[in-house]
Amino acid sequence: MDEILLARSTFGTTMAFHIIFASLGVGLPLMILLAEVLYLRTKDSDYRLMAKRWIKGQAILLGVAIPSGTIAGVQLSLLWPGFMEVVGKVISLPFQIEIFAFFLEALFMSIYVYAADRLTPWMRLLSVFLVLVGATASAVLITNVHAFEGTPAGFDIVNGQIVNVDPWAAFFNPSFVVTALHVTVSAYMTGAFVIATVAAYKMLKTRKDTKEFHFHQKALLMGLIVGGTFSLLTALNGHESAQYLHRYQPEKLAAAEGLFETQPYAPLAIGGYTDPVTKEVKYAIEIPWALSFLAANRFDEVVVGLNDFPQEYWPPLFIHVLFNGMVGIGSLLIFVGFIGFAWKKLLKRESYPRWVMWIFVASGPLSILGIEFGWVFACTGRQPWVIYRMMTTAEAATKAEGLGFFFAIFLAIYILLGIVTVLVFKYYFRRHPLRLQDGSQEAAK
């Protein structure tokens, strides 16, 4: 296998693993905060118990996110020395500030985990809020480096030298805001739907006339409402992201939709796959004019096709499948959230049909899969550039050989970490089952 492809595969595997824990590490604190708010407002101690149990899950996830994130940082230096030279001189600010964001998250999560019973409700609320701020800031700051790769700013490369450096211009690059919003709302959506998954599964295994069933029912409704709301916000932000691609990375948008000819009134291709030989998207459903509207909110907008770019600058054409997977899952989750809310609040039904419950169970894994599709699409769709139109992936990669061994080692590490994480969750919550008492609920220690 090509060494550059091995470097990409090694780092890509690391990020595919880490992003699961990073996304949940941002999304779960929001759910914990909302549970604390509902407890303050309703005095229903079920919500207090939810918060105390969910924070234990957050602590386990953070315990895996830290080593996997550390591995990612080390791999950046080892596998991408050319890119890290630019990072060190131009875009190091997000990395530096992220350290303080992580300290904020870790400090107040420790306070909440170990001292929650000795804090007043308002102090607990403040602690969880600062955990949420720290986790969200960490995600935004790290993702800002990815935004910079797609819309570089704040420096020039002249005769191979980095000149005219403006770190703040690099920090606030053109896609900073839209990327920050996208990573935030998608993480909040994922955290909520994972809560919904667990609650729905527990409800399927519990008798309807028990307090435990009603406890999980509250958690399910909370997860569906929050998840559905943020899935809608993710879709709206995704529309804005497509407009940024149209403006700054037109070949990426063209590859995402399998568009080869530049044209106004461009159609949107749903489904199918892109055939590089015939230069068409086979078995797709085309919506006339929709791509032009997606790109610029007008049907007559001219969308640039792949044929206007040298073929060596084309992103891999399979990103059309990734793009459709991401959008399809996001659309389904909007529908899932709406069904959950409407069935309970509008139709006033006491319980959901069993087949609907299994859809709720699937919502969490689907949201994680949607994030994976989106992340791979975003990074692969930028190829062959590591810094768009300024540095190719080949120029940034290490010249070392023998990377296949390291790829295998890291893959084994992630498999082991994944298995251990599942076992720790099962062991902890089996030893600390949900206990509900008459008139009150007490959290597991």
Side-chain angles (χ1 to χ4, degrees):
M1 186 183 294
D2 180 79
E3 295 296 326
I4 296 175
L5 182 58
L6 277 171
R8 288 179 56 200
S9 300
T10 302
F11 188 70
T13 303
T14 298
M15 290 308 302
F17 181 81
H18 176 68
I19 199 170
I20 297 172
F21 299 90
S23 298
L24 293 176
V26 176
L28 282 183
L30 175 67
M31 298 299 291
I32 297 166
L33 177 64
L34 292 176
E36 286 282 7
V37 170
L38 287 170
Y39 170 66
L40 279 176
R41 181 177 177 182
T42 65
K43 302 305 178 184
D44 184 344
S45 52
D46 277 353
Y47 293 113
R48 174 77 184 105
L49 179 55
M50 289 176 199
K52 292 188 72 174
R53 291 176 68 82
W54 293 347
I55 198 66
K56 303 299 173 58
Q58 169 78 359
I60 295 170
L61 293 171
L62 186 63
V64 182
I66 291 173
S68 61
T70 302
I71 291 172
V74 172
Q75 286 183 354
L76 276 173
S77 298
L78 295 179
L79 299 177
W80 310 107
F83 172 63
M84 290 306 289
E85 180 182 1
V86 177
V87 168
K89 295 179 179 179
V90 182
I91 192 67
S92 60
L93 275 174
F95 286 107
Q96 295 167 357
I97 302 173
E98 193 272 340
I99 295 173
F100 296 99
F102 172 72
F103 283 165
L104 182 71
E105 175 190 4
L107 172 62
F108 283 95
M109 194 177 81
S110 299
I111 292 173
Y112 186 87
V113 169
Y114 294 108
D117 292 332
R118 294 184 289 275
L119 296 175
T120 65
W122 286 104
M123 287 303 296
R124 288 201 306 268
L125 201 64
L126 177 61
S127 296
V128 179
F129 174 73
L130 292 174
V131 171
L132 177 63
V133 170
T136 302
S138 292
V140 167
L141 290 164
I142 293 301
T143 309
N144 189 25
V145 180
H146 167 73
F148 167 82
E149 291 179 82
T151 54
F155 78 110
D156 296 302
I157 297 180
V158 179
N159 297 324
Q161 300 298 313
I162 299 171
V163 298
N164 303 325
V165 174
D166 183 347
W168 287 111
F171 187 98
F172 293 107
N173 61 82
S175 61
F176 166 67
V177 174
V178 67
T179 303
L181 287 174
H182 195 70
V183 70
T184 301
V185 296
S186 60
Y188 291 163
M189 173 197 74
T190 302
F193 277 121
V194 166
I195 292 295
T197 288
V198 175
Y201 181 79
K202 290 291 187 179
M203 289 172 65
L204 286 168
K205 302 297 181 180
T206 308
R207 293 200 333 265
K208 294 183 180 180
D209 58 347
T210 62
K211 293 179 180 179
E212 184 177 347
F213 181 88
H214 293 292
F215 174 89
H216 292 305
Q217 191 175 50
K218 294 174 188 176
L220 173 63
L221 187 59
M222 183 179 168
L224 291 175
I225 292 175
V226 175
T229 300
F230 280 104
S231 60
L232 179 59
L233 293 176
T234 301
L236 295 175
N237 176 260
H239 176 61
E240 187 177 3
S241 299
Q243 294 180 342
Y244 268 76
L245 289 181
H246 173 61
R247 188 181 310 169
Y248 294 105
Q249 294 177 271
E251 63 267 47
K252 186 174 181 178
L253 180 63
E257 282 303 318
L259 185 73
F260 289 89
E261 297 296 333
T262 298
Q263 56 188 285
Y265 306 101
L268 186 71
I270 299 176
Y273 70 95
T274 306
D275 189 331
V277 178
T278 61
K279 293 186 176 182
E280 63 177 346
V281 181
K282 291 190 172 181
Y283 310 114
I285 300 173
E286 287 195 350
I287 303 178
W289 304 4
L291 182 57
S292 289
F293 184 81
L294 181 68
N297 294 332
R298 47 184 289 179
F299 295 114
D300 61 347
E301 177 70 13
V302 175
V303 181
V304 181
L306 287 171
N307 287 338
D308 281 20
F309 302 96
Q311 192 161 349
E312 60 267 24
Y313 291 169
W314 287 9
L317 298 182
F318 66 77
I319 67 171
H320 171 73
V321 177
L322 298 172
F323 183 75
N324 273 261
M326 174 183 65
V327 173
I329 289 173
S331 302
L332 175 62
L333 291 176
I334 294 173
F335 178 73
V336 169
F338 174 77
I339 287 295
F341 173 78
W343 194 275
K344 186 72 177 173
K345 294 297 185 180
L346 300 182
L347 299 180
K348 305 295 184 182
R349 302 293 180 88
E350 285 298 318
S351 60
Y352 300 100
R354 193 171 181 85
W355 65 271
V356 174
M357 292 294 292
W358 281 111
I359 293 176
F360 295 158
V361 170
S363 64
L366 282 174
S367 63
I368 293 174
L369 185 61
I371 282 184
E372 294 284 8
F373 280 159
W375 182 256
V376 177
F377 164 74
C379 294
T380 305
R382 192 182 56 248
Q383 299 302 315
W385 307 100
V386 71
I387 301 177
Y388 183 64
R389 298 288 178 89
M390 300 189 78
M391 178 181 288
T392 65
T393 303
E395 292 170 338
T398 179
K399 301 300 186 285
E401 298 181 353
L403 297 180
F405 173 75
F406 293 101
F407 172 69
I409 289 294
F410 282 116
L411 181 60
I413 289 173
Y414 302 136
I415 293 173
L416 177 62
L417 277 175
I419 294 172
V420 169
T421 302
V422 172
L423 292 177
V424 169
F425 265 99
K426 290 187 67 175
Y427 175 79
Y428 181 84
F429 287 103
R430 184 174 293 169
R431 287 200 61 187
H432 302 84
L434 182 66
R435 293 187 178 92
L436 303 175
Q437 298 178 353
D438 291 337
S440 65
Q441 292 77 23
E442 58 182 80
K445 301 296 183 184

